[in-house]
C-alpha cells in the first residue's frame, strides 16, 4: 500500500517524500502546484496534479491508488498574506481539509499525519513551549491550522480516524543531495533572505526590531532542519501504524538563536560580510519561540540530527548558491 503525500511538491513535503522513498515506502503525491514545484517531485513517486478542494479529483486518487495513510502538507502558509486575505486561508486550509476528510472517511482511510505550526500557540505564556500550553493564534494562518487539528479530533471521534499533528517551529535547511530546497515566492523567511545577500540578489538583510527583551534585542527562534522534520513524519506514521492514539507533538531543537546570531553564522558559512540594516518590528512577531520537543523525543523516538546552526545554514547555502532563482534555473 502507498502513502499519499498532499503538498509533496512543496518545501517540507518534498523533503518528506525523499525520506519516505529512501526508507522503501511507495509514495503517491498530490499537489496543485500553486506554490509547489514540479521539479521538487521525486522521480520515484506517482504524481497527480490537482486540488484537495475538488472532491471528485481526490476521490479519483483514492479509487486508483491503494492508500494506507495520508501525510497532509497541502495548505497556504504565509503569515502576512493570511492577514490581508484571510478567506483564502479558510478556503484552502479549512475547506480543503474538510473535503479531504469526507473523502478519507468514504474510502475507509483512517490515518493522517498533519503539518501544523508553532503559530497555533500565538504569544507564548512561557518558553520552552509545551503541547499542553494555551493556543491563542495571532494570525489567520495559525488559526486555520489550529482549526484543522480540531477537525481531525472531532472527525476521529465520530469515524475512527487517528491523526498525529506536528507543530513545527522554524523549518530551514535543504536536502543533502542539493536537488531540493526552500523556494518560496515571495520569500519571507529569515535564512533564505539572508542568503540572497551573498547570492547578489539583495544588498543587505533587514533586522526587524532590536528592542525585544532578548539577549541582543532581536527575536529568538528555534531553527529545525527540514530533514529532521521529514524524519519526524515517518516516526509519526509508524506510531499510527502501531495502533497508537491521536496526539500532537512540537518539533524543534529546543535551542533558540537570535536574528543577529543567525546572520553572524551565515557570514561565517558564506565568507561574505552580509550587511544588515535595522528596521522596525514586524507586526505579530513574538520575542521568543522555543519548542519543548521532549514529547516527540520520548513518545515518537525522534532525535533531530542537524541541530548545529552552521550546519543548517551550510545545507541551505548549498542549495541557494546553486539555485539563486529557486527552481527557475
Ligand atoms: N526576520 C528579520 N528579517 C527578515 C526576515 C525575518 O529580522 O528579513 C526575523 C523575524 O522578525 C523573526 C525571525 O527573523 O523574528 C524569523 O522569521 P521567519 O519569517 O523566518 O519565521 P517566523 O518565526 O516568522 O515563522
Amino acid at each position: 500500500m502507498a502513502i499519499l503525500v498532499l503538498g509533496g511538491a512543496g518545501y517540507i513535503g518534498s523533503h518528506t517524500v525523499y525520506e519516505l522513498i529512501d526508507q522503501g515506502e511507495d509514495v503517491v503525491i498530490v499537489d496543485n502546484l500553486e506554490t509547489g514545484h514540479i521539479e521538487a517531485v521525486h522521480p520515484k513517486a506517482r504524481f497527480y496534479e490537482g486540488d484537495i478542494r475538488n472532491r471528485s479529483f481526490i476521490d479519483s486518487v483514492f479509487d486508483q491508488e491503494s492508500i494506507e495513510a495520508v501525510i497532509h502538507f497541502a495548505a497556504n502558509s504565509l503569515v502576512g498574506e493570511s492577514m490581508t486575505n484571510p478567506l483564502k486561508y479558510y478556503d484552502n486550509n479549512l475547506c480543503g481539509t474538510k473535503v479531504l476528510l469526507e473523502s478519507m472517511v468514504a474510502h475507509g482511510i483512517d490515518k493522517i499525519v498533519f503539518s501544523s505550526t508553532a503559530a497555533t500557540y500565538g504569544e507564548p505564556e512561557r518558553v520552552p513551549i509545551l503541547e499542553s500550553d494555551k493556543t491563542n493564534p495571532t494570525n489567520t494562518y495559525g488559526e486555520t491550522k489550529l482549526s484543522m487539528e480540531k477537525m481531525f479530533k472531532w472527525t476521529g471521534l465520530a469515524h475512527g480516524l487517528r491523526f498525529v499533528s506536528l507543530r513545527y517551529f522554524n523549518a530551514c535547511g535543504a536536502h543533502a543531495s542539493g536537488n531540493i530546497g526552500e523556494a518560496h515566492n515571495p520569500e519571507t523567511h529569515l535564512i533564505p533572505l539572508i542568503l540572497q545577500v551573498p547570492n547578489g540578489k539583495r544588498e543587505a538583510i533587514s533586522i526587524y526590531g532590536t528592542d525585544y527583551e532578548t539577549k541582543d534585542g532581536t527575536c529568538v527562534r528555534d531553527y529545525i532542519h527540514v530533514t529532521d522534520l521529514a524524519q519526524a513524519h515517518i516516526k509519526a506514521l509508524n506510531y499510527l501504524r502501531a495502533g497508537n492514539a491521536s496526539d500532537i507533538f512540537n518539533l524543534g531543537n529546543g535551542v533558540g538563536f537570535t536574528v543577529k546570531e543567525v546572520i553572524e553564522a551565515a557570514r561565517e558559512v558564506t565568507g561574505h560580510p552580509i550587511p544588515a540594516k535595522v528596521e522596525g518590528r514586524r507586526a505579530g512577531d513574538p520575542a521568543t519561540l522555543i519548542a519543548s520537543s521532549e514529547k516527540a523525543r520520548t513518545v515518537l523516538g525522534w532525535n533531530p540530527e542537524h541541530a548545529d546552526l552552521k550546519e543548517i545554514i551550510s545545507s541551505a547555502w548549498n542549495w541557494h548558491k546553486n539555485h539563486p532563482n529557486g527552481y527557475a534555473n
Side-chain angles (χ1 to χ4, degrees), residues 170 188-190 193 205-208 219 221 259 282 285:
N170 288 64
T188 61
H189 295 109
L190 180 63
L193 286 174
I205 183 70
S206 299
I207 298 177
Y208 295 144
C219 288
R221 294 289 181 273
V259 172
R282 190 173 68 175
D285 273 343

Side-chain angles (χ1 to χ4, degrees), residues 5-19 31 35-37 40-41 73-75 77 115 168-175 179-185 187 189 191-192 195 223-230 233 312-313 315-317 319-320 327:
V5 181
L6 305 172
Y11 175 42
I12 305 170
S14 62
H15 285 76
T16 301
V17 170
Y18 269 62
E19 297 306 310
D31 201 297
T35 55
H37 305 275
V41 169
F73 299 94
S77 62
S115 160
Y168 321 144
F169 282 64
N170 288 64
C172 49
H175 194 259
N179 291 341
I180 54 172
E182 193 166 5
H184 298 115
N185 188 18
E187 188 53 76
H189 295 109
I191 292 175
L195 295 175
Y223 294 90
I224 177 78
H225 197 284
V226 64
T227 299
D228 285 326
L229 292 180
H233 291 77
I312 289 176
I313 293 175
S315 85
W317 180 228
W319 159 257
H320 288 289
Y327 288 98

Side-chain angles (χ1 to χ4, degrees), residues 77-103:
S77 62
L78 297 176
V79 169
E81 184 190 52
S82 81
M83 298 304 282
T84 54
N85 196 357
L87 297 178
K88 174 176 176 177
Y89 281 68
Y90 277 90
D91 180 42
N92 191 23
N93 297 3
L94 269 174
C95 299
T97 299
K98 175 208 156 235
V99 174
L100 166 70
L101 287 177
E102 284 170 345
S103 185

Side-chain angles (χ1 to χ4, degrees), residues 133-307:
D133 286 353
K134 184 188 69 182
T135 47
N136 188 15
T138 51
N139 54 63
T140 315
Y141 165 63
E143 188 72 49
T144 58
K145 288 276 177 168
L146 185 61
S147 302
M148 289 154 88
E149 289 185 350
K150 291 183 177 168
M151 210 189 291
F152 297 130
K153 178 181 120 178
W154 297 112
T155 306
L157 286 174
H159 299 289
L161 172 133
R162 286 175 300 123
F163 73 94
V164 166
S165 180
L166 299 173
R167 292 180 177 163
Y168 321 144
F169 282 64
N170 288 64
C172 49
H175 194 259
S177 67
N179 291 341
I180 54 172
E182 193 166 5
H184 298 115
N185 188 18
E187 188 53 76
T188 61
H189 295 109
L190 180 63
I191 292 175
L193 286 174
I194 292 173
L195 295 175
Q196 286 180 0
V197 181
N199 249 347
K201 300 251 151 206
R202 173 180 295 274
E203 301 254 302
I205 183 70
S206 299
I207 298 177
Y208 295 144
T210 52
D211 58 348
Y212 287 96
E213 278 186 34
T214 59
K215 63 179 173 182
D216 63 18
T218 65
C219 288
V220 172
R221 294 289 181 273
D222 183 338
Y223 294 90
I224 177 78
H225 197 284
V226 64
T227 299
D228 285 326
L229 292 180
Q231 292 294 352
H233 291 77
I234 298 175
K235 298 270 185 198
L237 175 67
N238 290 332
Y239 167 93
L240 291 174
R241 278 172 166 161
N244 292 297
S246 297
D247 212 338
I248 296 173
F249 300 92
N250 287 339
L251 298 180
N253 276 308
V255 182
F257 293 100
T258 67
V259 172
K260 284 185 176 170
E261 285 173 333
V262 176
I263 296 170
E264 192 49 45
R267 287 179 180 135
E268 288 175 36
V269 166
T270 61
H272 188 283
I274 312 185
K277 57 176 187 221
V278 173
E279 295 193 21
R281 290 184 176 197
R282 190 173 68 175
D285 273 343
T288 302
L289 290 175
I290 300 173
S292 165
S293 295
E294 275 316 299
K295 189 174 166 188
R297 288 169 195 264
T298 51
V299 178
L300 298 179
W302 178 64
N303 269 313
E305 288 173 4
H306 309 280

Side-chain angles (χ1 to χ4, degrees), residues 21-143:
I21 287 176
D22 269 0
Q23 296 192 20
E25 301 282 357
D26 187 25
V27 178
V28 173
I29 294 176
V30 159
D31 201 297
N32 65 7
L33 299 181
E34 182 192 311
T35 55
H37 305 275
I38 190 70
E39 299 89 343
V41 169
H42 194 292
K44 288 191 179 152
R46 290 185 295 292
F47 176 59
Y48 294 82
E49 183 176 346
D51 196 297
I52 60 166
R53 286 164 289 193
N54 180 341
R55 175 73 193 266
S56 59
F57 164 71
I58 202 77
D59 278 345
S60 74
V61 175
F62 286 129
D63 290 339
Q64 285 173 73
E65 298 283 351
S66 176
I67 301 295
E68 178 196 354
V70 174
I71 306 184
H72 181 18
F73 299 94
N76 291 111
S77 62
L78 297 176
V79 169
E81 184 190 52
S82 81
M83 298 304 282
T84 54
N85 196 357
L87 297 178
K88 174 176 176 177
Y89 281 68
Y90 277 90
D91 180 42
N92 191 23
N93 297 3
L94 269 174
C95 299
T97 299
K98 175 208 156 235
V99 174
L100 166 70
L101 287 177
E102 284 170 345
S103 185
M104 284 179 69
V105 168
H107 288 84
I109 296 156
D110 63 357
K111 294 186 273 302
I112 185 162
V113 177
F114 174 57
S115 160
S116 188
T117 169
T120 52
Y121 294 107
E123 187 73 47
E125 294 174 294
R126 56 173 172 182
V127 286
I129 302 171
L130 290 169
E131 291 83 351
S132 51
D133 286 353
K134 184 188 69 182
T135 47
N136 188 15
T138 51
N139 54 63
T140 315
Y141 165 63
E143 188 72 49

